[in-house]
Amino acid sequence: MLETVIQGVLLGGLYTLFALGQSLMFGVMRLTNTAQGDFIILGAFAVIAGVSAAGDAAPGLVAMVALAVLPVAFAFGYALQRCVLNGTLGKDPLPSLVVTFGLSIVIQNLLLELFSADPRAIETGGLSTQGVALGDTLSLGVLPLVVLAVALVATAALQCLFARTALGRSFRAVSDDREIAELMGLDAKKVYAFATAIAFVLIAIAGALQGMRTTVSPSDGPMLLLFAFEAVIIGGMGSFWGTLAGAMILGITQQVGFRLDPGWGIWFGHIVFLVVLVLRPQGLFPKTRG
Amino acid sequence: MNALLETHGLKAFYGDAQALFGIDFSLAAGELVAIIGANGAGKSTFLKSLAGLVRVPRETIRFKSEPIGGLPPGEIVRRGLAMVPEGRRLFPSLSVEENLLMGATAARKGPWNLQRLYALFPILAEKRHAPGTSLSGGQQQMVALGRALMSNPEVLLCDELSLGLAPIVIREIYAAMPTITGEGMTVVIVEQDVTMARQVSQRIYCFQEGRVSLEGKSGELTREQISQAYFGIEAAHA
């Protein structure tokens, strides 16, 4: 049982990374990015392409390529928000849903065209198979532990950014009341662009780690979106620690399901999601406002 | 003397509904002018037009002789016109101090900063880390006023400072006005409380159904003139 919970927490770390970008974009501009999962896969393929372009797949090189993708993701997110998504925001949530849904289809087909439907992985020089033994019976993978650590650091960093920096203050201000924020002289479209830029750095991190942990193929995106979405909803919109908690609950539930029957894991996750949606639609840890 | 801020035939619309039907208004530097009028007379729409929250033709508003009508609100606050919005509109997820710092986004130079505001409203220093919306109505109004001052404007537009506040609290807030205008600040207040408006202002505009129905020096207008202009009873002879 302990092992199942620990595996669930490790899986929850991965789901946290899937979900943080979603949580950030929804929190700042009430935009649901339905291409979230596809952008994660795009990030993974960007690292794969970078590594194959560099030739040799030494672990040091892979790490450098993955880090080099982050500023690219930042710039891409900024430009995407400025040129495309800002135009879809308004009282009606439908335009942004339709546009990101369209992006999702475009990305899937683009990746299919460029990389074929074969599943691929980011070569890590054996890192993905290394483990550390805990006692006689329990062994934990090094890579899942790394993923969990990155998820915890990313959540803490985001929370700190929101609570303590001028940029975080402007994120909260435009989220609270865009009109008044603009009256103060804030450029809401620019603030939104920075939020999406940061979300895309998180998306690229999630993609790189997903590609190292397992294989990715162009059609994987919608499944990842579903997990990200479930984590955000279970945790409660607008709180990053809530997102982390939601991801952990989802991860543990899925592991318990897998333990009972290999076909039940994902299904168990959906059931917990639906139960939370029915009993507590605002999520378990919604942001409390004065 | 040239007007610091003036409007000529200012018309404004909310969707298809016309709210202002040609407002002529002028404001000299250092003045405190009150706009009074019944609900729906267009007072708030007028202030929103000045602040850029309601779109109007460029030439209908001039600030320091430059046309500013319909500029984005951020551009207008950077030029020196700041507004305290009706209903205070504090950011709920920001603390008192963070709300005030948001006001400094435009980063104009001038006498107002956190220290001076805390000296003017000591209660805000005490509650600086509390969420803005956890304060009493009067204290929230101080934050809203302070937030606008933090941009160091040349003209301060105040929309219904007294809304929903007890008379004693209203007096407390208006007690800060001399300190604010003492720096040479020009102020426009929209006020439902006519007595208070006459007390604090030098000139009064009365709006009625989107038009100016009366304008004059606060000390010289009689109660009868004001109530006729306010309620739209047959225009009186001055």
Side-chain angles (χ1 to χ4, degrees):
Chain A
M1 191 62 211
L2 179 68
E3 194 198 342
T4 309
V5 172
I6 291 174
Q7 296 298 345
V9 169
L10 293 176
L11 187 60
L14 184 70
Y15 291 169
T16 304
L17 287 172
F18 289 172
L20 280 177
Q22 184 89 322
S23 185
L24 171 61
M25 286 175 74
F26 185 84
V28 173
M29 60 195 114
R30 302 287 175 275
L31 183 146
T32 304
N33 176 13
T34 51
Q36 169 88 4
D38 303 289
F39 280 120
I40 292 171
I41 299 299
L42 183 66
F45 274 104
V47 177
I48 291 170
V51 170
S52 78
D56 181 38
L61 180 93
V62 174
M64 270 167 61
V65 170
L67 288 176
V69 166
L70 301 186
V72 177
F74 186 91
F76 181 84
Y78 190 93
L80 180 74
Q81 185 67 41
R82 281 241 84 145
C83 305
V84 181
L85 298 180
N86 271 337
T88 69
L89 294 175
K91 283 208 172 68
D92 184 3
L94 195 59
S96 61
L97 284 174
V98 171
V99 166
T100 53
F101 186 69
L103 283 172
S104 152
I105 295 169
V106 170
I107 293 164
Q108 284 180 40
N109 285 286
L110 190 72
L111 288 176
L112 200 58
E113 192 65 35
L114 290 174
F115 295 95
S116 84
D118 296 340
R120 300 191 187 209
I122 299 167
E123 201 46 61
T124 51
L127 182 67
S128 54
T129 52
Q130 283 170 23
V132 283
L134 285 182
D136 297 333
T137 53
L138 194 58
S139 172
L140 300 178
V142 171
L143 191 57
L145 285 171
V146 169
V147 172
L148 179 64
V150 172
L152 289 170
V153 169
T155 309
L158 263 188
Q159 200 72 44
C160 182
L161 173 83
F162 260 63
R164 292 172 202 277
T165 68
L167 183 63
R169 195 165 66 221
S170 53
F171 283 158
R172 284 179 285 144
V174 292
S175 169
D176 280 350
D177 193 333
R178 177 177 176 171
E179 188 181 55
I180 297 300
E182 289 182 323
L183 186 70
M184 302 288 123
L186 217 57
D187 183 348
K189 293 189 165 176
K190 204 162 146 188
V191 174
Y192 290 160
F194 274 114
T196 304
I198 293 170
F200 269 70
V201 170
L202 293 163
I203 283 172
I205 293 173
L209 291 172
Q210 170 74 352
M212 292 177 192
R213 209 189 62 108
T214 178
T215 59
V216 290
S217 72
S219 56
D220 284 357
M223 195 55 147
L224 305 192
L225 166 73
L226 194 55
F227 295 155
F229 195 65
E230 288 181 343
V232 173
I233 298 286
I234 293 172
M237 299 266 189
S239 141
F240 298 116
W241 289 116
T243 300
L244 179 105
M248 293 297 165
I249 291 170
L250 186 66
I252 293 168
T253 316
Q254 288 189 357
Q255 284 297 333
V256 170
F258 281 129
R259 181 71 173 254
L260 296 175
D261 185 301
W264 285 4
I266 310 285
W267 179 65
F268 255 50
H270 296 336
I271 289 190
V272 165
F273 164 69
L274 287 174
V275 167
V276 169
L277 211 51
V278 169
L279 297 181
R280 220 179 131 79
Q282 72 274 38
L284 299 176
F285 311 97
K287 185 161 78 177
T288 46
R289 281 184 176 169
Chain B
M1 181 180 169
N2 260 347
L4 179 63
L5 177 71
E6 57 187 333
T7 71
H8 270 293
L10 176 66
K11 295 185 177 113
F13 296 83
Y14 270 124
D16 286 337
Q18 187 164 5
L20 299 178
F21 297 83
I23 302 281
D24 294 326
F25 175 92
S26 86
L27 185 67
E31 258 191 319
L32 198 163
V33 166
I35 301 173
I36 58 174
N39 274 332
K43 310 181 300 287
S44 287
T45 309
F46 180 68
L47 277 204
K48 282 183 177 174
S49 308
L50 295 180
L53 293 179
V54 171
R55 279 297 173 101
V56 294
R58 185 63 44 93
E59 291 293 334
T60 52
I61 304 175
R62 288 183 164 264
F63 178 52
K64 293 194 281 191
S65 306
E66 298 211 6
I68 61 159
L71 287 177
E75 174 60 28
I76 288 177
V77 73
R78 273 186 286 276
R79 289 183 184 218
L81 266 153
M83 181 163 91
V84 184
E86 182 178 1
R88 307 182 275 270
R89 303 273 291 267
L90 300 186
F91 299 108
S93 47
L94 270 58
S95 70
V96 168
E97 186 156 300
E98 287 176 323
N99 265 287
L100 294 173
L101 286 171
M102 282 308 300
T105 306
R108 291 170 50 87
K109 287 199 172 63
W112 291 101
N113 52 39
L114 283 177
Q115 269 176 326
R116 284 220 45 194
L117 269 176
Y118 289 152
L120 181 64
F121 298 123
I123 185 72
L124 299 188
E126 215 172 285
K127 306 212 166 182
R128 63 208 286 177
H129 297 304
T133 42
S134 70
L135 273 55
S136 73
Q139 291 164 359
Q140 286 191 34
Q141 193 56 271
M142 291 172 190
V143 178
L145 187 58
R147 190 174 61 176
L149 285 173
M150 284 293 282
S151 72
N152 279 300
E154 285 174 58
V155 178
L156 180 69
L157 311 168
C158 302
D159 198 352
E160 306 245 14
L161 290 178
S162 61
L163 191 75
L165 300 180
I168 184 161
V169 181
I170 298 172
R171 241 166 279 140
E172 202 180 328
I173 290 186
Y174 274 107
M177 273 302 163
T179 314
I180 295 167
T181 51
E183 303 282 344
M185 182 92 68
T186 309
V187 181
V188 179
I189 57 168
V190 159
E191 189 51 78
Q192 294 257 12
D193 182 338
V194 176
T195 314
M196 183 56 83
R198 290 180 70 189
Q199 266 176 31
V200 299
S201 67
Q202 287 130 37
R203 260 191 322 131
I204 284 186
Y205 280 85
C206 187
F207 280 23
Q208 189 199 318
E209 291 177 358
R211 296 180 176 84
V212 175
S213 56
L214 181 71
E215 184 270 320
K217 292 217 163 80
S218 308
E220 294 172 4
L221 296 174
T222 64
R223 260 187 184 285
E224 290 69 36
Q225 281 177 309
I226 290 176
S227 59
Q228 273 162 352
Y230 200 99
F231 295 111
I233 308 162
E234 190 73 11
H237 299 286

